[in-house]
Amino acid sequence: MDPQRGRTNRRRFLLIAGIPLLGLAGGTAYALKPPAPPPYRHRVRTDLEPLNTRLRPYLGDLAEAHWVGYDVDGPAEDRGIPGPDSRIRLVGVARLAAGGAEAIVSNPEYDFAPGAAPTGLPESLAPHLPAGAAWRHSPKFDAYANPPGARPQVSGRFSFDTARNLVCFDLLYLYT
């Protein structure tokens, strides 16, 4: 028997058997690879104290809330302390104390009118916004709740649904 021929057959066998084995090993490694982290979503908070501290003078005490707060200029994953020139966005929907929305909306000083549903809210808040809400808005109330000269500077919008006793807020705090 020719020893060279045996060596050639062995190489051919390893080549034919090795390609599927390499493919199987690569597929296994891919399957065992940890999944990529999901894209960053703003964490919905339900604690009331940070909101009550900021909004109590304008809305009274909140009974329930779903909200998000984040640094607009910071990286999405950054949950650290904001810098000195930060823009912090507070956005959410909250239930007011009994009769709170009606008391605010019925004040003739603010001249509330039917308004469009809030837009531009983070996706994570969508499950907490009621379908079919009859939102009411007042630029005069916004001006009252966003006083000029306040520190930090604040701007934003409030919309109320009196039937559900809700307020939807989208505020931007500028720290300079």
Side-chain angles (χ1 to χ4, degrees), residues 121-144:
L121 304 179
E123 279 181 33
S124 54
L125 288 174
H128 306 289
L129 285 173
W135 296 108
R136 301 187 58 80
H137 176 254
S138 166
K140 291 179 182 178
F141 182 83
D142 291 346
Y144 162 70

Side-chain angles (χ1 to χ4, degrees), residues 27-80:
T28 303
Y30 179 78
L32 295 176
K33 179 183 85 168
Y40 178 73
R41 288 175 31 116
H42 298 291
R43 180 177 65 92
V44 175
R45 297 175 59 174
T46 58
D47 50 328
L48 297 175
E49 191 51 38
L51 294 179
N52 280 330
T53 300
R54 289 175 176 87
L55 303 177
R56 183 180 289 127
Y58 315 107
L59 303 175
D61 282 324
L62 303 176
E64 172 187 0
H66 294 90
W67 63 284
V68 170
Y70 61 95
D71 187 341
V72 174
D73 301 315
E77 301 83 19
D78 185 18
R79 293 189 182 99

Side-chain angles (χ1 to χ4, degrees), residues 102-174:
E102 182 63 40
I104 293 170
V105 170
S106 66
N107 186 336
E109 179 182 340
Y110 300 127
D111 194 27
F112 274 88
T119 60
L121 304 179
E123 279 181 33
S124 54
L125 288 174
H128 306 289
L129 285 173
W135 296 108
R136 301 187 58 80
H137 176 254
S138 166
K140 291 179 182 178
F141 182 83
D142 291 346
Y144 162 70
N146 301 313
R151 291 287 179 243
Q153 295 174 2
V154 63
S155 61
R157 179 181 173 97
F158 295 86
S159 298
F160 294 87
D161 176 27
T162 56
R164 292 173 179 86
N165 199 33
L166 295 176
V167 61
C168 182
F169 55 92
D170 190 350
L171 307 172
L172 188 66
Y173 288 83
L174 177 61

Side-chain angles (χ1 to χ4, degrees), residues 5-41:
R5 183 176 168 110
R7 204 174 288 152
T8 303
N9 285 339
R10 191 171 344 138
R11 286 182 184 155
R12 188 176 304 145
F13 171 76
L14 290 174
L15 181 63
I16 292 171
I19 291 175
L21 287 175
L22 284 175
L24 182 62
T28 303
Y30 179 78
L32 295 176
K33 179 183 85 168
Y40 178 73
R41 288 175 31 116

